[in-house]
Amino acid sequence: MAHFAKPENALKRADELINVGQKQDALQALHDLITSKRYRAWQKPLEKIMFKYLDLCVDLKRGRFAKDGLIQYRIVCQQVNVSSLEEVIKHFLHLSTEKAEQARSQADALEEALDVDDLEADRKPEDLQLSIVSGEKGKDRSDRELVTPWFKFLWETYRTVLEILRNNSKLEALYAMTAHKAFQFCKQYKRTTEFRRLCEIIRNHLANLNKYRDQRDRPDLSAPESLQLYLDTRFDQLKVATELGLWQEAFRSVEDIYGLMCMVKKTPKSSLLMVYYSKLTEIFWISSSHLYHAYAWLKLFSLQKNFNKNLSQKDLQLIASSVVLAALSVLPFDRAQSASHMELENEKERNLRMANLIGFNLEPKFEGRDMLSRSALLSELVSRGVLSCASQEVKDLFHVLEHEFHPLDLGSKIQPLLEKISKSGGKLSSAPSLPEVQLSQYVPSLEKLATLRLLQQVSKIYQTIRIESLSQLVPFFEFSAVEKISVDAVKNNFVAMKVDHMKGVVIFGNLGIESDGLKDHLAVFAESLNKVRAMLYPVPSKASKIGGIVPNLAETVEKEHKRLLARKSIIEKRKEDQERQQLEMEREEEQKRLKLQKLTEEAEQKRLAAELLERRKQRILREIEEKELEEAQALLEDTEKRMKKGKKKTLLDGEKVTKQTVMERALTEQLKERQEMEKKLQKLAKTMDYLERAKREEAAPLIEAAYQRRLVEEREFYEREQQREVELSRERHESDLKEKNRLSRMLEFKETFQGEVISRRQAEFDKIRTEREERISQMIRARKQERDIKRKQLYYLTIEEERIRKLQEEEEARKREEAEKRKKQEAEHKAKLDEIAEKQRQRERELEEKEKKRREELLKGTDAPPTRPAEPTAAPAAAAAQPAAAPAQGSGKYVPKFKRQTAEVSAPTQTPPAADSDRWGNRGPPPADDHWGSNRGGPSQKPDRWVPGSRGGDRPSGGDAWRSGEERRSPFGSSRPRPAQR
């Protein structure tokens, strides 16, 4: 970033860069100066710098740079010199507009040049290919290349200026002027999308202006000048919107004007109000809101009559006729009669909103559809004297349609009046703000109204009428159109009728439609039941009824009062629930509708994109065919020009000419021409061959004579040259001998000097060689020492690595031996444990067999009478069981499962006598085999025992009893984990 002591230096530097063609660098230098914090005080040179800066921005189309520079310059000039900022912005707008106009004129000139017919043949092949591939005409491509970039830049310029001036009270006139130019730009070039964006920008500016009221330079809308500028801008917006046909944007502009009027609580001038209501009439007519259209016309009539002093009687009559016809165009029935409560509320809000826009201030307590109605409008026309100002045809039409009863000749009376009315209208000379009044636009609506009136009047005098007769009474429409109109009238309860096509008649009157009977069938049923109840239980006389009620009248009133209060609360609660459910249903329906609308829009976009692509393909193919046809025609003309007149062939008028056929025909003609040319060339070659042979035969003796003469001349020239060379050699030899004799005197001095030089150079060489050998010997010794040191270090490192490797190998060998030794010990220990488990299993099997035999003997003993020899057999077993169980519980010895179960079962159930206990219990200690697990591993090892039942009482197998390296079971059933060694 360059720093300048003065702003003038930056301007000079920019001029220098521009002169050498570096506009981008010049722009960057000025941008750095403008955005720098060193120059925040306004100076006159800064204005010149801004002019130059904006010139560069416009030339290079740098809108972002221009916006940044203007924002910085606004900060500098806001409090000091606002007029300078105004001049700079005007200069910027002028430059952008001028460039856009130049591009437009250049594109038009290019289009005019392209329209010349002679340039078609000079078009380049690449231009033809580009036009075929791109599918664009010359004007479209020139607009895209030349005009569109400048239009984009001009649009960005308008947006930038409006953004900078949006909250500046000192430049409100410039803001309004810029908005007006932007509107004119959109109107001139039919830029509808940009116009919508421009309206939204201005709308957001006003909303932010009201939202942030504490800004320092905020415009004051209460001031008459500011209000007038804002109103003028909105009215320009409304006019351009209607001229572009953007009716939705026009209605939003009307709402903006009304909101601005409500914001300042002031009414604009009558001239602006006339424009306002004239645009409202157009908007409401386009939207088919005939009631609001008529009210707008009524308001416009009042303004013209009260404030337009130059209004002529003819113009007043035309305006009054428009008001009356607009009021008559409104349908005579209300479409919202059969609508739901929510629809009625929405209609009420809509009527209130429209009435506020038109200028009728309605109170919210009144029903909007009762106030804004056709009957109220017609009565107001009569009371205000509008009907008296209308033309005679309009008056007659009004009386016929609204007051007279002519069911059979209503159509014949109205038709000539409508013909006269359709021819009336024209431009108002004394009211230039109003659009051209054409009364013919009301004729279709009036014909529809006349048809409805005729049906209504016919229904009063006829119950049945033939379709042919009814068609003759309505001269405006076919019967199919009359039928459509009647369907709408029946739907809205305007007339009751039914069309019977089988009989060819129309039936009038209350026809008892099935849906009407079903609608209130529950109420009819309730009334019938009530009558039956009255017949079965007649109501007592009045005197007796009062006599029964009077004694408890106060209590009855209190109860009835409480019941009514409870019923009221229940009804209110039900209403709230119903409203809540209705809101939820409406919300869900809205979500479904939005989703369906989104899907529909996506499908429509896809369809439009597909159609656009298909149209583009068709257009490209069509243009390719047209181009090929043009090329074929040009090629045909070129071929016919090259052909001779005698062989010229013309195509028939009905023959279809394509590029391929023309090319084939041209190739055929070229092939024929080539064959003819080859024949001519062969004939010409033969003729030239004969001529050449004849010429050579004649020239042969002449060439031989010339050759002999040339030989003689060359021989003479050689001899002369040889003699001259010999003489020159002799002269050079004599001169060389003289030179040798002259230089022989200096030979001795030359040898002496040569010896001195050689000896001196030899001494210098010997000295340099000696120094070099000494230096080399020193380098050799130093390198030898370095090699010895490196060799010793390498030897030491090798020995150390060998020692570490040996230590690691010894450590690995020791660990390997320990692991093998541990595995061997574990294997031996596992083998011992397996052997002990096998012995234990064998002992258990033996004990089970003994127990089985004992039980069999006991069973045999119970079947037979007890004898003395059987007692010693059972007694030792029981005696052996008790001592075995007791030591097992006291000292932790092994006790078989069947003995423990027997002891547990017999101990609590039986209480043997002392003799029996003495007899079974006085046995010796159990055999030594029962204590097999004590101190097998030596004094330092714990006893390894397995207790049956420690794992749920089941006997484990050999693999489950002892696990090598994974789990050791304690004698009391607990397990102690032990890591496995691999």
Side-chain angles (χ1 to χ4, degrees), residues 906-951:
S906 61
T909 56
Q910 297 180 1
T911 308
D916 294 339
S917 175
D918 211 22
R919 182 180 59 187
W920 289 94
N922 293 333
R923 292 292 179 183
D929 292 339
D930 295 336
H931 307 283
W932 51 269
S934 62
N935 298 330
R936 287 185 181 272
S940 61
Q941 295 180 357
K942 294 182 179 180
D944 295 329
R945 297 183 180 90
W946 172 74
V947 180
S950 61
R951 285 283 185 177

Side-chain angles (χ1 to χ4, degrees), residues 691-708:
L691 290 174
E692 187 67 21
R693 188 182 296 113
K695 286 193 296 183
R696 291 188 180 185
E697 289 177 357
E698 293 294 331
L702 299 177
I703 292 172
E704 183 65 25
Y707 176 70
Q708 294 299 329

